Amino acid sequence: MNTKILDYLVVGAGPAGLQMAYFLEKAKRNYRVLESGKSAGTFFQTFPRHGKLISINKIHTGTLDPEFNLRHDWNSLLFDDPDSRFSKFSEEYFPDAGTYVEYLNHLAEMNRLKIQYNTKVEKVDKSEGDAQFSVTTTNGETWLCQNLLVATGLSLPMVPEIPGIESITGYEDMDINPRMYRNQRVLILGKGNSAFETADNLITEASFIHVLSPNPVKLAWETRFVGNLRAVNNNFIDTYTLKSQNAVIDANVEKITQTKNGTYRVKWASLHANDTEEIEYDRVIRCTGFRFDTAIFSDRCMPDMSECQKLPMMTSSWESTNIPGMFFLGAPTQALDYKVSQSAFIHGFRYNVRTLFHFLENRNNGVELNCLFVENNPESLAFSILERMNRVSSLWQQVGFLADMIVLPEDESENVKYYTDLPYQYIRENCTDLAQGCRFYIAMFRLGKTHGDSLSHERPSNLFEGQDSIAIHPVYEQYDGNGERIGEFHLLEDLLADWSRPDYVNAAKEYFKSTMHGKECCMMEVSETRNIVR
């Protein structure tokens, strides 16, 4: 039997798998990536179906700072070589998926990542030897490993329980040639980006299009969550509100019946009117999203799943809640920040992968978690934090999810320990071990809450009323030696996201000056309010 032993086995060579492979390769760890396709990034050969990514590729930012530029580059992976940026492959703001496949394979080849292609995992089971996992493939190999890193994404269609739904076409199988829908009546189930991407593609050809689901449309510019409907996909809404035959419908589908002539009679009940409609359509297309596929796992290795069976359950360090040693990479990590931060997307989960790598290095090789050291005084602390927050991409992209932890030593002559890029929940759960009884701060970005029109609302202008900020802004939380939160300070939002001005630095310095020695503080009590000239 062809058996091979590894420390780390990565399943899947998409962006998350490649990102982890890069870190393992740099650290010279014993690893392998198994990929069922013949190249890296095979997902992007099919999806999105119409070939246009909605992850932005903003090249011209006014600065050459590579770290800052990652705030506006949602496609690049975290490789050290400047030529590893996606901007070397495309200048399009919304690039083509095919170009992204080329990019991923370039990274894999140039960095000589240990990827075995055309290798489909058949079964993941518990090992009877010293290794934790036994992974068999369809080509007859068995791989034993201590750490299983699952980077298979969300690949299984979510199919609502509707009588007759098995007779319709799924987003994953639909014909993308719009002429095939000429003068046809089309119903699209779902109201996410895939549904509206599909609708937009058919506007010029279909006689009418209905986009239907029980959930109302959520616009990304209102929710500020990039996974909701993006402007690039919402042209269809104009055709509805300006009365051009099409419609967006909030309703529950009760039944789908295929007729003898191949059309579909769909019965649905409106959520906004006490009536039921039954309409005949030529095409019905299911665009209801994807979920994590558990088919490869044996009963002994089956990860716990969320209630809706879409995502695996995981700890704050991305480890399966019930299978120790099994970790998740990529889109499934949104289980920890579902529809809040960006773990469902490359520009979010690339940082999760980096942090998970540091967790694994710490656990398996005794390497200390990534940290900096800062002089133990208010001036150094204020300047160091703001200098980082003026350019850091990880905290910016993973707003409210990733954070820095600043530990104050008991001996005031010692330097402050500054941990970077940790999940906020991980800090809260492990603060006693990380801080060892010392007081600490958590520094992160947050978004304020909008009320009403997201494009028209009052904005605070007082330097010490940052808690009323609507836009992204720095927040410092203060904790005692027992890990209890005793205060927090919001630095006022800034139009240019630049907190290097003296008034910002002085406000932060004032805050740390009044709290570093164990005092609770409200900024309004330590300084007079001042208006900022803008």
Side-chain angles (χ1 to χ4, degrees):
M1 183 170 62
N2 188 3
T3 302
K4 302 176 183 179
I5 301 175
L6 300 166
D7 292 328
Y8 302 93
L9 180 63
V10 182
V11 182
L18 294 189
Q19 185 66 82
M20 179 57 79
Y22 174 69
F23 293 129
L24 293 172
E25 180 70 29
K26 280 183 61 179
K28 296 181 170 50
R29 301 305 176 198
N30 180 24
Y31 79 96
R32 192 62 50 93
V33 181
L34 303 184
E35 166 57 44
S36 62
K38 62 181 180 181
S39 68
T42 54
F43 175 88
F44 295 97
Q45 293 176 2
T46 306
F47 301 104
R49 294 293 283 121
H50 299 89
K52 184 67 67 174
L53 300 178
I54 57 174
S55 47
I56 67 171
N57 179 41
K58 190 172 191 297
I59 298 174
H60 306 292
T61 64
T63 178
L64 297 178
D65 182 352
E67 177 65 22
F68 178 88
N69 285 341
L70 280 169
R71 292 183 174 186
H72 311 288
D73 169 358
W74 293 5
N75 299 284
S76 292
L77 297 186
L78 307 178
F79 285 50
D80 293 339
D81 186 347
D83 289 334
S84 295
R85 291 295 169 87
F86 183 66
S87 58
K88 301 290 184 180
F89 288 75
S90 175
E91 294 185 354
E92 292 184 79
Y93 192 73
F94 293 116
D96 290 329
T99 306
Y100 201 65
V101 174
E102 296 176 14
Y103 168 70
L104 294 177
N105 282 280
H106 170 80
L107 293 183
E109 182 178 350
M110 290 299 98
N111 291 276
R112 298 181 179 180
L113 303 182
K114 296 180 176 65
I115 304 172
Q116 184 167 308
Y117 297 109
N118 299 307
T119 304
K120 184 176 177 60
V121 171
E122 186 174 47
K123 186 178 182 180
V124 175
D125 204 350
K126 283 288 187 181
S127 171
E128 296 180 0
D130 293 333
Q132 291 197 70
F133 301 100
S134 172
V135 178
T136 56
T137 66
T138 53
N139 58 12
E141 295 175 325
T142 297
W143 298 80
L144 303 179
C145 65
Q146 290 293 337
N147 303 273
L148 182 68
L149 309 176
V150 184
T152 53
L154 304 181
S155 58
L156 203 62
M158 292 279 288
V159 182
E161 295 182 2
I162 300 171
I165 198 168
E166 69 281 353
S167 65
I168 69 173
T169 302
Y171 172 74
E172 66 279 6
D173 298 318
M174 67 170 291
D175 192 321
I176 61 173
N177 181 358
R179 291 189 177 182
M180 298 301 293
Y181 302 82
R182 178 164 290 177
N183 211 34
Q184 293 187 353
R185 299 156 297 180
V186 179
L187 173 65
I188 298 172
L189 301 181
K191 291 202 188 88
N193 280 293
S194 62
F196 281 93
E197 161 207 326
T198 300
D200 278 359
N201 189 54
L202 303 181
I203 286 174
T204 59
E205 298 290 344
S207 62
F208 71 78
I209 305 168
H210 290 168
V211 175
L212 183 151
S213 81
N215 301 311
V217 173
K218 292 184 178 179
L219 301 169
W221 73 67
E222 290 182 342
T223 64
R224 294 183 291 180
F225 172 62
V226 303
N228 290 145
L229 182 58
R230 301 283 296 284
V232 68
N233 283 329
N234 70 18
N235 288 332
F236 180 83
I237 293 178
D238 267 10
T239 71
Y240 167 45
T241 58
L242 301 181
K243 308 176 185 64
S244 297
Q245 290 193 287
N246 301 325
V248 178
I249 304 166
D250 295 345
N252 283 306
V253 176
E254 296 183 349
K255 187 178 182 180
I256 301 172
T257 304
Q258 189 170 17
T259 67
K260 291 181 180 180
N261 62 4
T263 62
Y264 301 86
R265 293 200 65 82
V266 181
K267 183 179 180 181
W268 46 267
S270 172
L271 296 181
H272 304 303
N274 188 23
D275 67 353
T276 299
E277 296 275 0
E278 188 166 352
I279 297 178
E280 187 170 350
Y281 299 93
D282 298 296
R283 303 281 190 114
V284 182
I285 305 170
R286 168 180 43 76
C287 298
T288 50
F290 294 83
R291 65 184 178 89
F292 184 75
D293 190 353
T294 61
I296 63 174
F297 301 103
S298 72
D299 291 341
R300 295 192 298 177
C301 276
M302 183 64 65
D304 285 342
M305 297 289 292
S306 61
E307 185 176 350
C308 67
Q309 299 298 301
K310 178 176 181 176
L311 299 168
M313 302 294 288
M314 61 193 75
T315 69
S316 59
S317 55
W318 301 288
E319 186 172 19
S320 168
T321 54
N322 67 310
I323 308 294
M326 179 186 294
F327 297 87
F328 301 101
L329 315 178
T333 62
Q334 66 183 283
L336 298 182
D337 60 345
Y338 190 60
K339 294 189 177 181
V340 176
S341 195
Q342 319 306 332
S343 292
F345 315 101
I346 295 167
H347 64 287
F349 67 61
R350 61 190 177 190
Y351 303 104
N352 295 354
V353 172
R354 183 171 65 186
T355 297
L356 173 56
F357 168 74
H358 290 308
F359 285 159
L360 294 172
E361 286 287 277
N362 178 256
R363 174 190 285 196
N364 299 327
N365 300 292
V367 179
E368 188 169 10
L369 292 177
N370 200 38
C371 69
L372 311 168
F373 290 93
V374 178
E375 290 184 14
N376 193 352
N377 61 70
E379 292 81 4
S380 294
L381 202 55
F383 180 79
S384 297
I385 295 176
L386 287 183
E387 183 181 42
R388 175 167 158 78
M389 299 191 89
N390 279 330
R391 57 189 297 269
V392 67
S393 61
S394 53
L395 304 188
W396 178 270
Q397 300 287 24
Q398 289 292 64
V399 56
F401 180 72
L402 291 182
D404 292 347
M405 181 183 186
I406 300 99
V407 180
L408 303 177
E410 292 184 358
D411 186 345
E412 295 180 15
S413 66
E414 295 180 1
N415 286 337
V416 170
K417 204 168 191 177
Y418 193 132
Y419 292 100
T420 59
D421 295 345
L422 299 177
Y424 177 81
Q425 191 59 37
Y426 178 88
I427 297 175
R428 296 298 302 271
E429 293 171 356
N430 297 276
C431 61
T432 52
D433 291 334
L434 292 168
Q436 297 183 335
C438 295
R439 291 173 291 108
F440 64 93
Y441 298 96
I442 296 178
M444 62 197 304
F445 285 112
R446 282 195 197 153
L447 286 166
K449 294 182 179 180
T450 58
H451 304 282
D453 187 347
S454 63
L455 299 178
S456 178
H457 47 75
E458 296 296 322
R459 294 181 179 273
S461 58
N462 190 295
L463 189 61
F464 300 115
E465 292 180 355
Q467 70 277 4
D468 296 325
S469 294
I470 300 298
I472 189 170
H473 61 282
V475 176
Y476 310 141
E477 293 184 350
Q478 179 190 4
Y479 292 81
D480 64 19
N482 297 315
E484 296 294 327
R485 184 166 58 183
I486 58 176
E488 68 178 31
F489 172 54
H490 294 243
L491 202 57
L492 186 70
E493 64 184 56
D494 185 81
L495 181 63
L496 300 179
D498 180 3
W499 291 275
S500 61
R501 289 198 329 235
D503 50 359
Y504 289 126
V505 177
N506 288 336
K509 182 174 68 176
E510 232 177 301
Y511 171 71
F512 290 119
K513 185 177 180 180
S514 64
T515 61
M516 284 182 68
H517 301 298
K519 300 176 183 177
E520 298 183 35
C521 172
C522 171
M523 273 310 299
M524 294 297 292
E525 297 176 356
V526 300
S527 176
E528 296 179 357
T529 61
R530 287 174 283 176
N531 289 326
I532 299 175
V533 177
R534 294 189 179 274

